[in-house]
Amino acid sequence: NEAVEDTTVEVTEEVTPEMTPEATEEVVPEVTEEVVPEGFYRSELTNEIISEELKDQRPIAVMVDNEKTALPHYGLTQADVVYELMNSTANGEITRFMALVKDWGTIKQFGSIRSLRPTNILLANEWNAIICHDGGPYHNDAYLALKATDNLSGGFGRVNNGKSREFTEYLLTGEVAKKAAAKGIETTYNEYYEGPHYKFAAKETDLTENYAEFAKPATFIDLPFGHNGSELSYNEEDGLYYYSEYGAPHKDPQNGNKQLAFKNVIIQNVSYNQLDENGYLIFNCIGGGDGFYITNGKRIRIAWTKGSDTEPTRYYDGMGNEIELNTGKTYVAFVADRRWEQLVVE
């Protein structure tokens, strides 16, 4: 296993020159992008072709419990982007998911739903997403008061699954529209939406095409999340990274026991501040740092920046160019800076 050590990318206007792609005199053929059929458009979350009826619809950001007792998770394979980050310094530094779903009208059962943290609000707002959760600590109050924040808290459906009540709350069919209407929340993009979040490649790319000398293998990722042991394994046949935790593949019984999988993996090195003795914390996600972009079995070092709660996090290569993601779902992990050296990518 290769422990990640030499990963610091200084965040400056030029970032760092050491990743400059090889000079070449080859003629690059013109890229012909797939024609989008009438009545469809490319999703701003995945670049996949979806119904144009969804174009102005805000995504939702669903807080999903990641305690072992909460498994199996329902509906998570319907998410377009999944964030995983430490939820508390207590309980073995357990993580929690925040799942972004564009086509939330198709949800039948999603979750189970749990409480919110300040970092999640700052991330959800950069997508202009409606947050779906059940409560949270008082540390959230100042962030819930931000002008861009819209949230639906508690009162979601209960499913009798034989578990204690805290593990029985799920987002069920029709609840987002009903609750948003009751609370007067717009479900279409509003003035706080700063536009498309990711920059996507016109055609699927291998990182060695643009970063021949700097792209390194990345077919297995062992994240330093000690409580649940998150791992991602690359499948060369379909080009996806398959997620496992607690020593087993992460399966979704809502969607035929399909395993959670992603085309793009982004790992951010982020510091945090602990807020109280209970282990509540906030990641310093407004600012900048370094990390990795991983796709198609390769990785490159990147720098990330974010200027405000509504400003999307941007990711840059070593020349200061915004990276282009491949079409598909994206997994974003926040790795605490004090755990960064424990991250393994091989």
Side-chain angles (χ1 to χ4, degrees):
N1 290 355
E2 179 184 352
V4 176
E5 296 176 352
D6 59 339
T7 57
T8 302
V9 176
E10 184 181 356
V11 183
T12 66
E13 290 184 2
E14 297 181 356
V15 188
T16 173
E18 66 180 280
M19 288 175 57
T20 306
E22 286 186 317
T24 176
E25 296 181 358
E26 294 182 7
V27 176
V28 179
E30 184 178 348
V31 175
T32 303
E33 192 169 2
E34 181 182 358
V35 176
V36 178
E38 185 176 353
F40 293 84
Y41 87 109
R42 288 193 175 275
S43 167
E44 61 277 25
L45 277 73
T46 66
N47 202 45
E48 295 170 329
I49 297 174
I50 63 175
S51 173
E52 199 167 33
E53 294 179 358
L54 299 169
K55 188 170 185 178
D56 295 324
Q57 179 170 286
R58 299 168 69 182
I60 58 173
V62 189
M63 297 304 303
V64 178
D65 191 348
N66 205 20
E67 178 56 77
K68 189 173 184 179
T69 309
L71 299 178
H73 293 137
Y74 281 70
L76 211 59
T77 56
Q78 291 174 247
D80 299 296
V81 179
V82 174
Y83 288 85
E84 184 176 10
L85 53 153
M86 181 169 56
N87 189 56
S88 170
T89 60
N91 196 18
E93 299 185 352
I94 187 170
T95 65
R96 187 158 292 177
F97 290 130
M98 185 177 79
L100 291 167
V101 184
K102 176 71 171 177
D103 191 6
W104 40 261
T106 61
I107 286 177
K108 295 182 179 179
Q109 182 177 339
F110 202 104
S112 59
I113 308 298
R114 288 301 292 272
S115 59
L116 183 64
R117 299 291 182 268
T119 308
N120 302 111
I121 299 171
L122 297 175
L123 293 174
N125 282 0
E126 67 180 71
W127 295 91
N128 198 219
I130 301 169
I131 306 168
C132 299
H133 65 108
D134 192 340
Y138 72 90
H139 303 294
N140 289 335
D141 293 349
Y143 300 93
L144 290 172
L146 292 170
K147 292 181 179 180
T149 307
D150 281 323
N151 71 299
L152 303 173
S153 178
F156 296 105
R158 294 286 174 176
V159 175
N160 184 4
N161 56 14
K163 302 175 185 179
S164 60
R165 183 173 174 80
E166 62 188 301
F167 301 108
T168 64
E169 188 174 12
Y170 295 84
L171 189 62
L172 302 179
T173 303
E175 289 188 323
V176 172
K178 181 179 178 180
K179 289 181 176 296
K183 199 173 178 181
I185 293 175
E186 299 176 23
T187 57
T188 53
Y189 286 125
N190 58 33
E191 61 186 299
Y192 302 108
Y193 178 53
E194 296 197 18
H197 193 285
Y198 293 143
K199 183 177 182 180
F200 290 100
K203 68 177 184 67
E204 184 165 325
T205 60
D206 184 321
L207 292 175
T208 56
E209 295 178 25
N210 296 321
Y211 307 100
E213 293 184 3
F214 308 102
K216 297 182 179 180
T219 58
F220 176 73
I221 305 158
D222 185 1
L223 291 147
F225 298 153
H227 184 93
N228 60 312
S230 305
E231 296 178 349
L232 289 147
S233 297
Y234 180 63
N235 184 338
E236 190 172 356
E237 291 185 5
D238 60 11
L240 300 179
Y241 286 86
Y242 284 80
Y243 181 87
S244 298
E245 63 176 352
Y246 296 107
H250 184 286
K251 300 291 186 68
D252 179 5
Q254 182 59 56
N255 293 292
N257 280 323
K258 185 164 65 170
Q259 187 174 352
L260 190 60
F262 305 92
K263 186 64 184 179
N264 304 296
V265 175
I266 294 173
I267 306 176
Q268 292 181 230
N269 182 1
V270 194
S271 63
Y272 68 86
N273 296 324
Q274 187 166 325
L275 300 173
D276 61 22
E277 68 280 2
N278 296 315
Y280 292 120
L281 60 95
I282 183 169
F283 277 97
N284 299 310
C285 62
I286 296 179
D290 63 317
F292 286 111
Y293 171 50
I294 302 170
T295 190
N296 285 342
K298 302 290 182 181
R299 74 175 190 261
I300 59 168
R301 291 167 50 190
I302 58 171
W304 62 266
T305 64
K306 175 175 167 64
S308 70
D309 67 309
T310 57
E311 182 178 315
T313 305
R314 303 294 184 190
Y315 304 96
Y316 300 93
D317 65 18
M319 293 189 300
N321 300 314
E322 188 172 0
I323 65 169
E324 295 184 341
L325 274 63
N326 280 320
T327 296
K329 299 176 184 290
T330 299
Y331 168 88
V332 183
F334 274 25
V335 172
D337 59 347
R338 63 193 70 183
R339 298 290 185 193
W340 187 254
E341 290 187 359
Q342 299 171 22
L343 171 66
V344 174
V345 184
E346 60 182 18

